[in-house]
Amino acid sequence: MTRNLVNKASLEEPIILWSRTTCNAQEHSAHIGHSVVASSAEEAVARSDMIWSCLSDEEAVNQVFGILLEKDLRGKIFVECSTVTPEASNKLAAKVIAAGAEFVSMPVFGEPSMAAAGVLTCVPAGKVESVAKVKPYLIGVLGRAVIDFGGQEAGNASLLKVIGNVFIVNMIETLSEGHVLAEKTGLGVENLEKFLQVVFPAPYMIYSKRMRSGAYYKAEPIVNIAMAKNVASHVMDLARASGTNLPAYEAACKHMDAVQCHIGKAGDISGIYGALRMESGLAYENDEMFSSSSSKRWQTRAGNDQFSKEARVRGLKSRAAFKLLEINDKYKVFKAGQTVVDLGYAPGSWSQVAVDRTSPNGRVIGIDVIPAQPPKGVSTIQGNFLSHDVQEAVKDLLRESSKRRTMGNILEDSGYEQSGTHDKLEEVSLDQPEIEHEAQRSLEQYRSHAAKKNSDESEGRVVDIVLSDMSEPWEQTTGFWLKSLSNPYRRMMNTSGMNFRDHAGSMDLCNAALNFSYDTLRTGGHFVCKFYQGAEEKAFEARLKALFAKVHREKPESSRSESKEAYFVALRRKGDTRKEDVFNDT
């Protein structure tokens, strides 16, 4: 905005710049010319007749104006362009006017490239005469259009800005959904953009190009996600106060949360696309999509794959569900009422299988670093499973929920329900001593089972099955300027193509999952774990055999033949194995 004021407004005197970060103001002044830098906000206001302000948030606005209102403001006009609530705008207008100055609230619509080109849409509100003084600097200087709220209270312009944000965010949400659908169905984003160019030109094409090019995570943000979330909180406050339901906007807010979790506060609002990609089983980043023909090969393979087709028909999150279904058909891992922990659950196909196979009364908990919509019936914790704090949070959740289990569950789990025992005794023709002996033996078995269960629960071992379909993350190759991406476990992968690397990474995750299983898996519980084949697998298999009664290797039919992945199926955890006997070689 300041560059266009300097270049297009024919100012006689240099423009006076002030920023809370002085070096930024100095750098900007050198870049635009015909400007000087003030050492403080008070100095800038004292030397100016018309003061334009655009601050990061409402707190910054209140802080700066709190200082300025202590000074002599008579005869000056303030043009406030920050995004604040209508109430805050009205209160500020009243204070500035009471101090003898004029006040125009003027939020703008348009992303940074539009601001640089001087084609913003400006919404000035305030007294008619005050708005008239500002208008010469709008059309042809800062903007291409004016929505004139002259004669209306300042808060109305802010209200339009907040409501207008709903349209913009919903547009990005819709566009993101369209992009992901075009990718996954094989239409391709190139064909989608032909439609957008004809039917929905700017601003749809501006955001579409950011998504397609990867600028949504590679480039500087158009709208910082933290700022977008701040505006979103204003929108939801307005919606609640007015009794308005905004389901589409709420979905977008959820995806903004996912962007901030994945990228950090420096993420971009168009990262909603990345969040939707993750929900749909894709990576947040779309590097591979346009850098090579790999995506076309993937689409062709997926399109011809019977398991991918069947997964779509059944409403499963991914074809990986069939791997677990095959394992369960062979080893009967699941039964009703069990507690299951799914490590690395996203996008959620294994959790879907677990919910189905443990109903009724089953309990499924998923953990993943990727923010993803959990399948119906699954409780989830988002976090890095390798973090001690995350593992403790899972254990706390398990302990708390296990307290709500009734004695009836213990009887059902043991297989010694009273009615079943009586039926069994009635079917067998035995004399009285034999009947008493059989009843005594059944009672002793039940007591032994109950004792083991009580011992397990006292040690926090309340899980029946631990599933691990985790893979090691990609190394970081882009986005180094985002410090929040420094943790490699925020960039998930399938395989890198380097067998040793994939194997070593998978063994680390397998050992972490086994360590967790030792702490949480009850006696008789099962463990299913994916691994990439290599030299260390035999040592890991030995650890499994130390803890479980039976250990099997599986390569399900639904696992692609060219893949190095395989699965360990470890059945019936032993109850008397010491931890050092399991991990004595580590």
Side-chain angles (χ1 to χ4, degrees), residues 73-101:
L73 305 182
R74 289 174 296 179
K76 300 183 184 296
I77 179 168
F78 287 83
V79 185
E80 221 298 296
C81 304
S82 309
T83 300
V84 297
T85 62
E87 295 79 9
S89 188
N90 285 333
K91 288 179 181 178
L92 184 58
K95 291 177 181 178
V96 170
I97 292 171

Side-chain angles (χ1 to χ4, degrees), residues 410-458:
I410 296 175
L411 291 172
E412 289 175 12
D413 289 343
S414 68
Y416 294 102
E417 295 161 285
Q418 288 186 355
S419 59
T421 303
H422 288 312
D423 291 342
K424 183 178 179 181
L425 292 174
E426 289 170 3
E427 291 170 3
V428 181
S429 179
L430 300 172
D431 59 26
Q432 187 63 30
E434 289 175 317
I435 292 175
E436 291 177 356
H437 176 71
E438 181 69 18
Q440 182 64 29
R441 190 171 67 86
S442 295
L443 180 60
E444 288 174 356
Q445 287 178 340
Y446 166 71
R447 285 173 175 170
S448 175
H449 177 89
K452 287 181 181 178
K453 191 154 191 172
N454 290 335
S455 175
D456 282 337
E457 290 181 354
S458 67

Side-chain angles (χ1 to χ4, degrees), residues 340-343 365-368 380-385 387-401 460 462-463 516 520:
V340 180
V341 174
D342 186 2
L343 306 177
I365 299 171
I367 302 98
D368 208 303
T380 60
I381 293 176
Q382 187 194 334
N384 180 359
F385 172 69
S387 162
H388 174 75
D389 290 342
V390 171
Q391 292 189 27
E392 288 304 309
V394 177
K395 292 174 186 177
D396 288 344
L397 176 61
L398 290 167
R399 281 191 289 266
E400 186 62 31
S401 57
V462 295
V463 179
F516 175 80
T520 61

Side-chain angles (χ1 to χ4, degrees), residues 325-529:
L325 286 168
E326 285 184 58
I327 290 171
N328 187 59
D329 287 345
K330 187 171 183 178
Y331 296 105
K332 311 302 180 192
V333 176
F334 296 107
K335 68 178 181 179
Q338 287 177 319
T339 295
V340 180
V341 174
D342 186 2
L343 306 177
Y345 83 92
S349 60
W350 276 30
S351 289
Q352 286 178 301
V353 172
V355 168
D356 180 68
R357 293 298 189 265
T358 61
S359 65
N361 303 321
R363 177 178 49 166
V364 180
I365 299 171
I367 302 98
D368 208 303
V369 71
I370 296 175
Q373 180 70 27
K376 184 177 180 181
V378 180
S379 302
T380 60
I381 293 176
Q382 187 194 334
N384 180 359
F385 172 69
L386 299 185
S387 162
H388 174 75
D389 290 342
V390 171
Q391 292 189 27
E392 288 304 309
V394 177
K395 292 174 186 177
D396 288 344
L397 176 61
L398 290 167
R399 281 191 289 266
E400 186 62 31
S401 57
S402 71
K403 292 178 182 177
R404 295 190 289 269
R405 295 275 168 159
T406 63
M407 188 60 183
N409 294 121
I410 296 175
L411 291 172
E412 289 175 12
D413 289 343
S414 68
Y416 294 102
E417 295 161 285
Q418 288 186 355
S419 59
T421 303
H422 288 312
D423 291 342
K424 183 178 179 181
L425 292 174
E426 289 170 3
E427 291 170 3
V428 181
S429 179
L430 300 172
D431 59 26
Q432 187 63 30
E434 289 175 317
I435 292 175
E436 291 177 356
H437 176 71
E438 181 69 18
Q440 182 64 29
R441 190 171 67 86
S442 295
L443 180 60
E444 288 174 356
Q445 287 178 340
Y446 166 71
R447 285 173 175 170
S448 175
H449 177 89
K452 287 181 181 178
K453 191 154 191 172
N454 290 335
S455 175
D456 282 337
E457 290 181 354
S458 67
E459 296 293 329
R461 298 194 293 264
V462 295
V463 179
D464 296 293
I465 302 169
V466 173
L467 306 174
S468 174
D469 196 31
M470 293 188 289
S471 295
E472 197 212 0
W474 289 104
E475 291 182 10
Q476 184 175 350
T477 57
T478 60
F480 291 99
W481 59 280
L482 295 173
K483 293 182 180 179
S484 57
L485 281 179
S486 60
N487 182 350
Y489 291 95
R490 293 187 181 278
R491 297 174 296 281
M492 304 305 289
M493 72 160 201
N494 291 316
T495 57
S496 68
M498 295 178 285
N499 292 341
F500 176 78
R501 175 189 182 280
D502 295 336
H503 169 66
S506 77
M507 287 294 101
D508 288 342
L509 293 175
C510 286
N511 279 303
L514 179 58
N515 188 71
F516 175 80
S517 297
Y518 184 91
D519 292 339
T520 61
L521 202 59
R522 70 170 77 250
T523 302
H526 310 314
F527 176 59
V528 179
C529 180

